[in-house]
Amino acid sequence: MKFRRTKSFVGKHPLLPVAMVLILTLTGQAQTLTGSVVDARTGRGISYVNIGIANRRLGTVSNEAGAFRLLVANAQSQDTVRFSCVGYEPLTLLVAKLGQIITIQLSETTRLLQSVKVKAHPPRLRVIGNTKNDENSNYSLTSNDLGSEIATIVTIKKPTFLKTANFIITKNSCGPLVFRVNLYRLTSDGQPTNEKILTQDVITKTDIGKGILTVDLSGTNTTVTEDFCLSLEWIAGGLGKDITKQLYFSCGLGYRQNELFTRYTSQSPWSPFNDAVLGMKPKISFYIEGYQ
């Protein structure tokens, strides 16, 4: 059984070299925004910035040097593009004004996202989430746009010091891929928000064809005290390939509602998986190891 939704995509592109000038290229009824995002204080490019029109399926991620390319329709000139990255204040700009800016500058945040740090190492290692590895039940990302995410809700009973995040890959024929591990806070009714729990980016590169992708979280020194959303975000590698048909994650079935969420690209809304099989929904095989 394979759970997969294939959709058309916009803005697939190779990674760009560092660009210090934002160029607005008009192409028919569309315009291509290319440029770079830099640190306002140092002028250095910022890697893997989420860039997109909020609540639309139109976005991308800057490359390792901070360069980006985003295709938008002329009719979207009055829409707002949002630039966001952990450690920096988010910035929003009208599409119509982007061509007037030489560089996109982000300022370091003056406040830390709330997190709890432990004073002593908790004694017992626990596994939280879905550890089932079923090669016959799979789910893929929903688009070929950078910033596409797949996520699950992790329920905890006690404060948990994060050790590792784990993602079971059943197939990867895209070659080396770069991902970002995200943890998001939830709304009062259990829906993922855009508020990140981790106060630093956790980036991992893998060429695993099949197996468990394990990412160390202990260096973030973070303890979670309430349920959260665990996400894996595609941010680089594999461009030019149909990732929706070449990358799959294991999943099981369960009766819990809205266990699986996806995001089409950067800044787009979260979408719950609403289809069901005999009343059950897929539970993606993502899990946390942590100390309680």
Side-chain angles (χ1 to χ4, degrees):
M1 182 184 302
K2 291 188 178 181
F3 300 93
R4 182 170 59 88
R5 292 177 290 178
T6 58
K7 300 181 179 180
S8 60
F9 58 93
V10 177
K12 185 169 69 175
H13 60 83
L15 293 179
L16 299 174
V18 178
M20 297 306 294
V21 179
L22 188 70
I23 305 170
L24 188 63
T25 304
L26 299 180
T27 308
Q29 297 302 310
Q31 51 188 8
T32 301
L33 306 175
T34 63
S36 62
V37 187
V38 303
D39 185 296
R41 181 176 61 85
T42 66
R44 294 179 179 176
I46 305 174
S47 303
Y48 309 129
V49 176
N50 289 119
I51 304 163
I53 296 179
N55 297 319
R56 292 183 182 269
R57 292 182 174 182
L58 184 62
T60 189
V61 176
S62 67
N63 70 6
E64 191 172 4
F68 71 92
R69 180 174 182 266
L70 181 66
L71 180 67
V72 300
N74 289 343
Q76 295 170 323
S77 62
Q78 296 304 306
D79 280 339
T80 299
V81 178
R82 188 172 190 266
F83 299 80
S84 62
C85 183
V86 170
Y88 292 87
E89 295 289 349
L91 178 67
T92 56
L93 295 167
L94 285 177
V95 171
K97 293 185 177 297
L98 283 176
Q100 304 170 17
I101 300 173
I102 296 176
T103 57
I104 303 300
Q105 297 183 343
L106 297 185
S107 299
E108 290 185 89
T109 184
T110 55
R111 64 180 178 84
L112 292 176
L113 298 176
Q114 182 181 0
S115 64
V116 179
K117 296 184 178 181
V118 294
K119 295 182 179 179
H121 212 277
R124 304 188 68 178
L125 184 64
R126 302 291 189 185
V127 177
I128 311 165
N130 182 24
T131 62
K132 185 176 181 180
N133 187 355
D134 184 354
E135 295 183 17
N136 296 316
S137 180
N138 306 281
Y139 200 86
S140 69
L141 294 173
T142 55
S143 84
N144 287 295
D145 286 342
L146 295 177
S148 183
E149 292 183 72
I150 188 168
T152 189
I153 304 301
V154 177
T155 302
I156 64 171
K157 296 181 179 180
K158 296 180 180 179
T160 303
F161 179 84
L162 303 177
K163 180 178 182 288
T164 64
N166 303 271
F167 311 90
I168 301 180
I169 298 172
T170 56
K171 176 185 177 181
N172 171 25
S173 56
C174 298
L177 297 171
V178 183
F179 296 102
R180 173 163 42 211
V181 177
N182 296 312
L183 274 67
Y184 296 97
R185 301 191 189 280
L186 304 178
T187 63
S188 58
D189 60 350
Q191 307 298 297
T193 68
N194 291 327
E195 183 183 357
K196 293 184 178 182
I197 295 174
L198 298 177
T199 58
Q200 63 190 68
D201 267 349
V202 178
I203 308 297
T204 184
K205 181 177 181 179
T206 182
D207 58 1
I208 292 176
K210 182 172 70 173
I212 302 176
L213 170 60
T214 297
V215 184
D216 183 16
L217 299 180
S218 61
T220 68
N221 198 26
T222 301
T223 295
V224 290
T225 59
E226 57 189 13
D227 298 350
F228 60 91
C229 175
L230 170 64
S231 152
L232 193 64
E233 177 189 2
W234 172 46
I235 58 175
L239 294 172
K241 298 183 178 180
D242 189 348
I243 197 167
T244 66
K245 295 180 180 179
Q246 295 177 277
L247 175 68
Y248 292 96
F249 299 94
S250 174
C251 62
L253 286 174
Y255 288 103
R256 183 183 176 95
Q257 298 297 305
N258 296 339
E259 179 73 19
L260 174 61
F261 289 84
T262 57
R263 195 202 293 267
Y264 195 85
T265 186
S266 293
Q267 314 296 351
S268 65
W270 288 105
S271 298
F273 185 90
N274 290 318
D275 297 336
V277 178
L278 299 177
M280 296 186 292
K281 294 185 178 182
K283 299 175 62 175
I284 200 75
S285 297
F286 291 179
Y287 61 94
I288 289 285
E289 288 184 320
Y291 293 95
Q292 294 182 344

